[in-house]
Amino acid sequence: MQAAGIRQLDFVYISGDAYVDHPSFGAAIISRMLEAYGYSVGMICQPDWRDPESIARLGEPRLAFLVTAGNMDSMVNHYTVARKRRGADAYSPGGKTGCRPDRAVTVYCNLIRQRYKKTPLVIGGIEASLRRLAHYDYWSDRVRRSILLESGADLISYGMGEKSILAIAEALDAGIAVKDITFIPGTVYKTRDASLLKDAVQLPAFESLLPEHEEAGHKAYKKNYAESIRIQYRNTDPFSAKTLYETYGGATYVVQNPPAMPLTSQELDDVYDRAYTYTYHPSYEKDGGIPALKEIRFSLTANRGCYGGCNFCALTFHEGRIVQARSQTSVLREAKMLTELPDFKGYIHDVGGPTAQFTQPACRKQMTKGACTDKGCLFPKPCRNLEVTHSAYLQLLRKLRQLPGVKQVFVRSGIRYDYLMADPDRTFFRELCRHHISGQLRVAPEHISEQVLRHMGKPSAKVYDAFVQEFARINEKTGKEQYLVPYLMSSHPGSTLTDAVALAEYLNRIHSTPEQVQDFYPTPGTVSTCMYYTGLDPMTMEPVYVAADPHEKAMQRALIQYRKPENYELVKEALLRTGRTDLIGYDKNCLIPPRPWTERSKTGRQEKSAVRGRSAPGRKTEKRRAGTSQKRTGQSRSGSVSKNAGQNRSGSAAKKTGQDRSVHAPKKTGQNRSGAARKKT
């Protein structure tokens, strides 16, 4: 501050992440945007929440404190779906844990309020955005109040945040009291003034969402919660959304303004054309740097927003359904800059966004009237108004391949195979297979049961089967041996043990053993989380089966990895429960033998079923060059739920065994294809 001649900062930004000056990190984007508009910003990253002085190091800001948990919800960052502590934190120096508290936004805000009673306090990022109204909290297993009330903050900047934070800064700089800033899109505020609620839509009161509200055993509180989620999801579009509010104690109102308008291509270019250094703060070097940067440093964000509409994903609730894309000039300018970095090796690891090939709104009306509130763009089938084209994305990839110093450009941020199959022009599909896959392509069918897929908001399994066949045909024609690695999810609402057995049978038929399985994780802000908590589909209010028992969830997970010896007893119990003893035996269609592999190995017998899907002993294998792994975080960009939220999209190569003719990656033979754990938020 002294070197810059700053006596008092305009904003002090508190973040639960270490500081990385890269546009994949929300703190970098927001601070750089404020800086570009003439405001001074000081960063306090990962302050010691046990020391009240840690948030006072830069003094009291002139305008406001800004607080975020970081690129991920702090509870998702800290705990697995089994509520066990994670062993590493990719957003902390050296990957060490314990650098931020649970419920970081609330803890940081309470710390600030102890010292600065009246300084404006604005919260944002994924944790604040998805908890902006009353929400089910998986870790405490109850509905919690809006984080605005829990934290004691004055405002929430929800969603991507660039427009709303600049409007907040302008209002504060103009001398408007923070309590009077009630008019900015993309914000949530609290008030006791009922006159501000004119034309607003009332959500069920907070008290009606609690178990104490149960009426005659009908669990009306859960129905009320589902109704609240339904209303919220039908008001996520900036063109059509109404102001929403919920009451607390009959006198306090938490009010959500409609979302901020989507950025134009020029505005999005401005976000990414700032003077980022593309590295972490030098003070982290001694600890080994920030692991999360390694996954995305040489990746390019070309778009944001997603109209895919998966129910377990919070993208609609956070980024919205309207796709916004950067200009090709801006993306190419950034790519050229990457090639000039000293440690660039010639590989661009990813180009895309939440969905790689979405480069424009789903249809023409979305930019004037918004997305439809009562139907999806792709689910259950592509809308007749959907404009399916890969031409702009294909053109961008071709230009990137021609840049001096670029050896290869990978695509790993999530290909929507249903959108790809809806395009009658196979040019992009062919070039994807020829130029942009390094051995494996990761896609997300998630399940094969039509019932489960319907509750997920995913396309029919028939679409995936057609995609698999086309993928095989194109690779055979181009002479490439490449594999599909399907992402699969266990225990999603709607998935019964019978559905899980059907999925295991499918995997057996295609000779695939997933190395990673994602248990459904009920994170804030998703339709699927509402199903998990209430047992109701909030969009239809129809009952949904929920595998809430930990033992059943363990069986569903084990069935997907039924070949693992440690899963034998769970798989056998599941087959006995579902009456599928026909899948216990030595036939090629059986999942497990009558006795565990370990028992049989002691007798010296080596049944063919015990080695099915493995490389034969002594058979030569060929290692393909592995591409750099790419995480997709469910949560990233300005704290958004986006392509890099801890979800691996590795392009690492499969091993040839000469034994499996499936286009799905064969059972592993000791070679790790992807070390990163998959997370969904």
Side-chain angles (χ1 to χ4, degrees), residues 338-653:
L338 292 180
T339 66
E340 296 169 353
L341 294 176
D343 51 345
F344 180 72
K345 305 299 182 183
Y347 301 97
I348 294 176
H349 298 156
D350 197 12
V351 183
T355 296
Q357 76 263 46
F358 287 180
T359 58
Q360 63 183 31
C363 64
R364 295 181 182 180
K365 84 172 189 66
Q366 282 195 354
M367 289 307 294
T368 56
K369 297 181 180 179
C372 299
T373 60
D374 57 348
K375 60 181 180 180
C377 303
L378 279 169
F379 177 81
K381 294 181 178 180
C383 174
R384 68 175 186 272
N385 294 320
L386 178 66
E387 297 182 3
V388 181
T389 175
H390 291 86
S391 58
Y393 188 49
L394 182 59
Q395 186 181 54
L396 175 61
L397 292 174
R398 286 171 174 172
K399 290 179 179 179
L400 288 169
R401 296 202 306 260
Q402 298 303 314
L403 287 178
V406 173
K407 298 177 182 177
Q408 194 163 5
V409 179
F410 296 114
V411 175
R412 298 179 183 137
S413 58
I415 291 290
R416 283 292 302 220
Y417 59 85
D418 49 349
Y419 184 84
L420 186 58
M421 294 304 293
D423 189 351
D425 185 350
R426 293 289 188 255
T427 304
F428 169 72
F429 204 159
R430 289 193 295 270
E431 293 203 16
L432 174 70
C433 293
R434 184 181 295 276
H435 298 292
H436 303 292
I437 304 172
S438 68
Q440 292 184 359
L441 176 65
R442 295 181 178 267
V443 290
E446 306 295 354
H447 216 283
I448 54 88
S449 163
E450 295 298 331
Q451 171 181 268
V452 179
L453 291 171
R454 178 169 59 85
H455 289 303
M456 288 179 164
K458 296 288 290 185
S460 168
K462 295 178 181 178
V463 180
Y464 180 66
D465 289 340
F467 167 74
V468 170
Q469 294 173 14
E470 185 68 5
F471 181 82
R473 187 190 68 79
I474 290 175
N475 278 287
E476 182 178 6
K477 193 170 183 179
T478 58
K480 285 183 172 286
E481 185 172 354
Q482 300 186 126
Y483 296 103
L484 293 173
V485 179
Y487 277 141
L488 301 169
M489 185 183 296
S490 63
S491 304
H492 186 278
S495 177
T496 65
L497 209 51
T498 299
D499 294 317
V501 171
L503 178 55
E505 288 186 276
Y506 173 80
L507 293 172
N508 186 32
R509 286 197 301 272
I510 66 173
H511 309 294
S512 175
T513 301
E515 295 176 34
Q516 299 170 12
V517 178
Q518 174 64 55
D519 284 339
F520 168 67
Y521 203 156
T523 55
T526 73
V527 171
S528 296
T529 295
C530 178
M531 294 182 193
Y532 172 85
Y533 173 60
T534 65
L536 298 169
D537 181 335
M539 300 308 173
T540 64
M541 302 306 286
E542 295 177 354
V544 179
Y545 175 79
V546 177
D549 175 54
H551 189 63
E552 182 183 343
K553 293 177 71 173
M555 285 191 287
Q556 290 206 26
R557 180 186 177 92
L559 280 162
I560 297 179
Q561 296 178 312
Y562 65 89
R563 284 192 175 105
K564 286 191 171 184
E566 61 267 32
N567 289 339
Y568 179 87
E569 295 299 336
L570 286 169
V571 173
K572 186 173 183 180
E573 180 182 353
L575 296 178
L576 292 174
R577 278 199 190 186
T578 55
R580 295 302 306 275
T581 54
D582 59 303
L583 298 178
I584 303 174
Y586 300 117
D587 184 79
K588 66 177 182 178
N589 296 321
C590 292
L591 301 181
I592 56 173
R595 288 184 294 160
W597 285 280
T598 52
E599 289 183 18
R600 292 162 56 252
S601 63
K602 291 178 182 177
T603 67
R605 297 169 61 190
Q606 188 173 12
E607 305 291 348
K608 64 181 180 179
S609 61
V611 296
R612 185 172 66 251
R614 298 174 186 257
S615 297
R619 182 167 291 180
K620 293 182 180 180
T621 60
E622 177 185 346
K623 295 181 180 178
R624 290 183 173 271
R625 178 177 53 76
T628 306
S629 68
Q630 175 68 31
K631 274 190 176 183
R632 185 180 77 176
T633 125
Q635 304 185 26
S636 180
R637 310 275 187 288
S638 292
S640 68
V641 179
S642 73
K643 72 173 184 177
N644 297 343
Q647 195 171 354
N648 187 5
R649 286 293 184 258
S650 170
S652 56

Side-chain angles (χ1 to χ4, degrees), residues 132 158 164 182-189 199-200 235-244 255-261:
R132 57 189 183 258
Y158 74 87
S164 59
T182 61
F183 50 86
I184 297 175
T187 62
V188 178
Y189 65 92
D199 298 327
N235 286 275
T236 57
D237 184 86
F239 291 93
S240 61
K242 304 294 185 182
T243 299
L244 307 179
V255 186
Q256 174 184 298
N257 286 320
M261 295 298 290

